[in-house]
Amino acid sequence: MRGLRTYYVLLGQSRKAREWFSRSTTSWTGLTMLLVSAVVAVSLFATLHTITPALSFPQILLQGRFGSDNDQSYAKLPVLFSWPSSSVYVTFDSDSVNATLSAVTPTVSFSGYNRFSFKVDQLEQDIETQDLNSTVITWKATGLGSGPHTLTITKLNEAMYGEATLDALEIGASGRWLAPLLPTTLQSGRRIQIIGDSFASGFANTGGSSSCNNTACTPYTCMPELSSQDATVSWGPLTAANFDADYQLIAWSGSGQVTYFIPESNAAADPEYAAVPEWIQEAQYPLISDLFTQQVAGDNTSSISNYSSWVPQVVVMAGGANDFVLPALSLQDWSAPYLNFLQTVSDEYDSPEIILLTYPLESMWDGSLTPNQTTYYLQYMSSLYAQTQMQGMSNVNLLQLNGVAFPINGWCAGHPNVAAHENIANQLTDYIHAVLPDWAEQVYSSMDQ
């Protein structure tokens, strides 16, 4: 009778169905149809009831760009963590859960440092790290009580520090894996992609003056210690959270939009660094346009074959500042490849709204550029936007961030702290509400994505 009861409820949801039910019950023919339909409903209910049983393996939901083309699909172990602020979600019914992650062997692109956040039911449990002496994370949570529970594992650092694989997930012997519960950010269908350099990746944003020691070293350079970066509180993810939007953070510290460069500090410390082959420069400081095409951040031989697997409606482009560390190219030589990249993004994602985000003068002076370099940067970005409009790229927008009351104290390695990232996120959020109000409010179905 449970199936028949379900059938009554289904009928009650349609005015025409209710009218049919009233007419049909006045005749034997109608009663016969009702009984037959009830039997079908019982069978259908039994079938539906068996569609979502406990699973024999974890069904992993991905958020961010990962080492496969199925960015929004369920994944199986192992899962390669590459890009910053990327997360996996698994749902289970058990009192305990274990996770094992191992660092990817370092290459010329990255070292073996990683930092992960572990949350159960959105409550942070632990932050675990990997370094050159401890390459495996074995994490466990117990005493969780009956489920369902959702475990979220998030990579806090960018790939320049390191990459890692999620090798194993385990629950108690009597536990059950369940179909993943969608987090809020994956329910609206809104998607935003952030493309940029260290100011976007959150490089040194949690360092301050206490943990800004250059202790994370590669054969070519030393970076601020691992605890100095938390990409989840960089301005891109913060903005995405303001809109309950899914996001990808495609960012790499030191990357340029048009030119490669060797940091002056490295060249000064080791003059031989200036003779490093170009392929190593490209691996360590890739072009942002190249990063866009890479499935795996630290592997410049990987490439995305199917951009339609994850299509954002909004793309925030925040690269270009590093191009001016070296003597500036002519405006034409600099803007032409940038315009080509903007057109590529527009073509691959079917004309999304693109926001050219330009950092304020104050952040440049306190950060990576001199006053003269900052002047070139600001003027070239403004000219770039003008050229997009002259070429009819009506989907390109410009946000020049306001430097008034911009937090510039307590920075590590000349990079914005969390307060500055929050300031940028607030300005970007206000801008999107004003310029793209439909996107800010619309809920997209799977067909719209």
Side-chain angles (χ1 to χ4, degrees):
M1 293 304 294
R2 189 178 181 185
L4 184 58
R5 184 181 182 88
T6 302
Y7 180 68
Y8 289 151
V9 173
L10 292 174
L11 284 177
Q13 293 176 355
S14 166
R15 178 178 61 81
K16 292 183 177 179
R18 290 197 300 271
E19 292 173 354
W20 177 87
F21 179 79
S22 177
R23 293 195 304 270
S24 63
T25 53
T26 63
S27 67
W28 283 104
T29 301
L31 182 58
T32 301
M33 293 174 64
L34 175 61
L35 291 174
V36 171
S37 299
V39 172
V40 173
V42 171
S43 175
L44 176 61
F45 178 83
T47 301
L48 290 174
H49 190 66
T50 60
I51 287 178
T52 56
L55 305 172
S56 59
F57 55 87
Q59 202 171 55
I60 303 170
L61 186 64
L62 306 177
Q63 186 272 307
R65 184 180 284 188
F66 282 83
S68 72
D69 284 330
N70 299 317
D71 293 288
Q72 190 58 42
S73 301
Y74 299 132
K76 293 184 178 180
L77 297 171
V79 174
L80 173 62
F81 276 98
S82 176
W83 298 95
S85 196
S86 51
S87 300
V88 301
Y89 302 86
V90 289
T91 301
F92 59 95
D93 185 359
S94 175
D95 188 58
S96 64
V97 62
N98 302 5
T100 302
L101 299 96
S102 57
V104 175
T105 302
T107 69
V108 295
S109 297
F110 58 85
S111 191
Y113 301 90
N114 290 293
R115 191 164 176 249
F116 288 92
S117 165
F118 296 83
K119 295 181 180 180
V120 175
D121 301 332
Q122 296 306 306
L123 298 177
E124 189 163 84
Q125 304 291 312
D126 296 290
I127 292 179
E128 301 287 346
T129 62
Q130 295 168 325
D131 58 33
L132 301 182
N133 297 316
S134 179
T135 60
V136 176
I137 293 174
T138 302
W139 177 85
K140 183 175 183 178
T142 59
L144 301 177
S146 59
H149 300 292
T150 296
L151 169 64
T152 307
I153 304 175
T154 303
K155 187 173 185 281
L156 303 182
N157 60 283
E158 62 182 291
M160 186 176 68
Y161 275 92
E163 297 180 340
T165 57
L166 174 62
D167 299 315
L169 290 166
E170 298 175 340
I171 52 178
S174 60
R176 303 179 303 154
W177 294 110
L178 304 174
L181 298 175
L182 282 179
T184 304
T185 54
L186 299 183
Q187 294 178 19
S188 70
R190 288 186 286 273
R191 291 176 171 178
I192 184 170
Q193 186 177 66
I194 300 94
I195 303 175
D197 48 37
S198 56
F199 274 35
S201 72
F203 182 85
N205 63 338
T206 57
S209 57
S210 60
S211 60
C212 198
N213 301 310
N214 291 334
T215 58
C217 295
T218 71
Y220 304 100
T221 188
C222 288
M223 302 172 289
E225 58 193 78
L226 186 58
S227 62
S228 70
Q229 183 178 36
D230 183 348
T232 66
V233 288
S234 61
W235 58 261
L238 291 175
T239 301
N242 289 340
F243 294 101
D244 284 333
D246 186 13
Y247 67 90
Q248 288 184 350
L249 179 54
I250 309 302
W252 186 290
S253 292
S255 61
Q257 185 61 59
V258 178
T259 60
Y260 303 109
F261 76 96
I262 298 175
E264 295 175 352
S265 58
N266 293 338
D270 183 1
E272 294 182 1
Y273 195 88
V276 171
E278 184 175 350
W279 70 270
I280 292 183
Q281 295 181 43
E282 294 176 6
Q284 293 181 333
Y285 302 101
L287 293 183
I288 292 175
S289 55
D290 291 337
L291 288 174
F292 175 73
T293 68
Q294 291 176 202
Q295 193 74 56
V296 179
D299 181 1
N300 59 8
T301 65
S302 68
S303 61
I304 295 177
S305 59
N306 179 20
Y307 285 95
S308 64
S309 65
W310 192 90
V311 179
Q313 302 96 8
V314 176
V315 177
V316 183
M317 198 82 66
N322 284 324
D323 294 336
F324 300 94
V325 173
L326 295 177
L329 299 175
S330 70
L331 177 59
Q332 174 61 28
D333 289 344
W334 181 83
S335 61
Y338 209 142
L339 285 168
N340 289 338
F341 179 46
L342 291 172
Q343 189 62 59
T344 296
V345 173
S346 189
D347 291 343
E348 295 293 358
Y349 290 148
D350 194 21
S351 297
E353 293 292 339
I354 298 175
I355 300 173
L356 288 174
L357 184 146
T358 304
Y359 295 107
L361 176 146
E362 290 81 358
S363 71
M364 293 292 98
W365 283 10
D366 200 68
S368 56
L369 301 181
T370 66
N372 185 57
Q373 293 167 338
T374 300
T375 299
Y376 273 104
Y377 163 68
L378 295 176
Q379 290 180 343
Y380 277 34
M381 290 296 293
S382 177
S383 177
L384 174 69
Y385 172 68
Q387 291 181 61
T388 65
Q389 301 310 292
M390 289 187 290
Q391 293 188 15
M393 299 181 70
S394 59
N395 62 318
V396 177
N397 310 272
L398 175 66
L399 170 58
Q400 168 63 67
L401 292 172
N402 188 341
V404 176
F406 193 80
I408 59 174
N409 295 320
W411 287 20
C412 169
H415 282 74
N417 58 12
V418 173
H421 279 276
E422 291 173 345
N423 181 289
I424 295 171
N426 290 338
Q427 291 192 53
L428 178 56
T429 297
D430 290 343
Y431 181 85
I432 291 174
H433 275 299
V435 177
L436 307 174
D438 291 342
W439 181 82
E441 300 298 333
Q442 183 172 346
V443 175
Y444 294 82
S445 70
S446 58
M447 296 298 292
D448 297 325
Q449 299 176 41

